[in-house]
Structures are given as structure tokens and as C-alpha cells.
Amino acid sequence: MASLPILCFPDPKLHTVAKPVQAVDARIQTLIANMLQTMYEAKGIGLAATQVDVHERLIVIDVSEERDQPLVLINPQTLWTSTETHLNEEGCLSVPGVYDGVQRFDAVTVSALNGEGQSHVIEADGLLAVCIQHEMDHLMGKVFVEYLSPLKRSRIKKKMLKALREEER
Ligand code: K2U
Ligand code: ZN
């Protein structure tokens, strides 16, 4: 297993629309293992393949307290969303140090393949529902800062580019 580098906003590669996974084969299963290691090491609760510069529809999530209940969603499709929504404070491994409110559906139902290629349906609410929506946005090339005002987004972009320049010095 290996930890993978995570793309940071405003890297344009984060805006790539992911393609469907064609086969849940050994390559994908290795990628799943590496994404889970990357997510746990970064203390995240979700990670989309887009964030590790692989543009296929694959998400890993673990919202459990003990960090021992990984969820794999391959080619996820939204089947249902609640009418109710709430504003939730979000962060993102691709935008470190930035947290802000995003309006999300309270509950969602999605279908996906698991790591063995079997189809499953997930009925999610609470933090899992928020995380699924956040990760599925990544697969569509959308980063949560795009829900914020242009002024906030511009300030975040400046902050991330400054941090990148300082890192490269
Ligand atoms: O996609 C990601 O970057 C992972 C997110 C998932 C998430 C975002 C918002 C709401 C729920 C889940 C991160 O795991 S959120 C927590 C976080 C953020 C920054 C750094 C470490 C952990
Ligand atoms: Zn994110």
C-alpha cells in the first residue's frame, strides 16, 4: 500500500469530470487500498479519486468513530434526495485549513458498486450524507469553495497559492 499525493486547490486537475470505472479489477482494488491509507493518514473522513489525480468514479469514506468501517463507492448514482437541506461546516483535504458553510440535502440514497464489484444501495443521513454529497461533487470536478462567494473564493485561492509558493521556497 502507498499514500498518494493529494491535489490542492486551485489545481485545475480538481475540475476534471471523472469517467465511470470500467472494471473492478486488481488495479482498482490497489487504488482503493492506497486511497484508504491516504485518507486515514490525512485524518479525512472521505476521499475521491479525483483528489489523487485519478479521474475515475471512485470514492472511499469512513465516518466511524473507530476509523474501522471503510465504505467504497464505485460509479455512485444518486437515487433520491430529501427535500430538507441544512447548512453544514465543511472542510476539504484539497483545501487545507479552510472551513465554511455549505447547504446540503439532509438525506440521500445512492447506488454504487463496492470494492468487490457488487451493487449496493446506501441510505444515508447526517455526516455520511454530507460526505457522500461532498465526494460526489469531487467526481464532477466541483470543490466545496465553489459554493462560497466570489470574494471568499478569491481570498482562499490567494491563500493557497501563497502557501504553495512558500512550500516551494
Ligand atoms: O473530500 C475531502 O476532502 C474529505 C473531506 C470530506 C468531508 C467534507 C465535508 C464534510 C464531510 C466530509 C474531509 O475529510 S472533511 C474533514 C477534514 C478536512 C480537512 C482536513 C482534514 C479533515
Ligand atoms: Zn474535499
Side-chain angles (χ1 to χ4, degrees):
M1 289 211 289
S3 196
L4 304 170
I6 297 176
L7 295 178
C8 270
F9 180 83
D11 191 318
K13 295 194 287 293
L14 283 169
H15 302 298
T16 309
V17 177
K19 294 185 174 9
V21 169
Q22 294 304 316
V24 183
D25 54 15
R27 175 185 69 90
I28 289 290
Q29 289 173 336
T30 300
L31 176 57
I32 289 168
N34 291 341
M35 283 177 61
L36 283 167
Q37 179 177 336
T38 304
M39 178 188 75
Y40 288 125
E41 286 180 4
K43 296 183 175 42
I45 55 178
L47 187 68
T50 307
Q51 294 177 273
V52 292
D53 203 14
V54 174
H55 302 289
E56 297 180 64
R57 290 182 61 76
L58 166 56
I59 292 167
V60 296
I61 289 175
D62 190 342
V63 294
S64 67
E65 283 291 317
E66 299 301 315
R67 316 283 287 147
D68 60 357
Q69 292 173 42
L71 259 183
V72 174
L73 289 85
I74 298 171
N75 298 339
Q77 291 182 304
T78 302
L79 301 179
W80 173 83
T81 58
S82 61
T83 47
E84 304 78 14
T85 65
H86 270 85
L87 193 69
N88 302 281
E89 176 96 344
E90 295 195 10
C92 181
L93 296 174
S94 294
V95 196
V98 174
Y99 300 88
D100 213 319
V102 177
Q103 201 82 15
R104 299 285 190 184
F105 296 114
D106 285 4
V108 295
T109 300
V110 297
S111 64
L113 300 180
N114 64 17
E116 286 71 45
Q118 298 155 328
S119 186
H120 59 147
V121 172
I122 297 171
E123 296 179 357
D125 59 9
L127 180 58
L128 179 57
V130 173
C131 188
I132 287 173
Q133 293 170 80
H134 179 107
E135 302 309 338
M136 288 183 72
D137 269 356
H138 275 303
L139 298 181
M140 294 303 290
K142 190 162 187 170
V143 184
F144 88 101
V145 296
E146 294 171 54
Y147 291 100
L148 309 181
S149 69
L151 178 61
K152 275 190 177 179
R153 192 161 52 251
S154 161
R155 285 175 173 162
I156 291 165
K157 191 169 182 176
K158 285 198 181 87
K159 175 185 172 187
M160 297 302 293
L161 289 172
K162 182 171 181 280
L164 192 63
R165 279 196 303 275
E166 281 163 5
E167 197 179 288
E168 286 166 350
R169 277 171 61 177

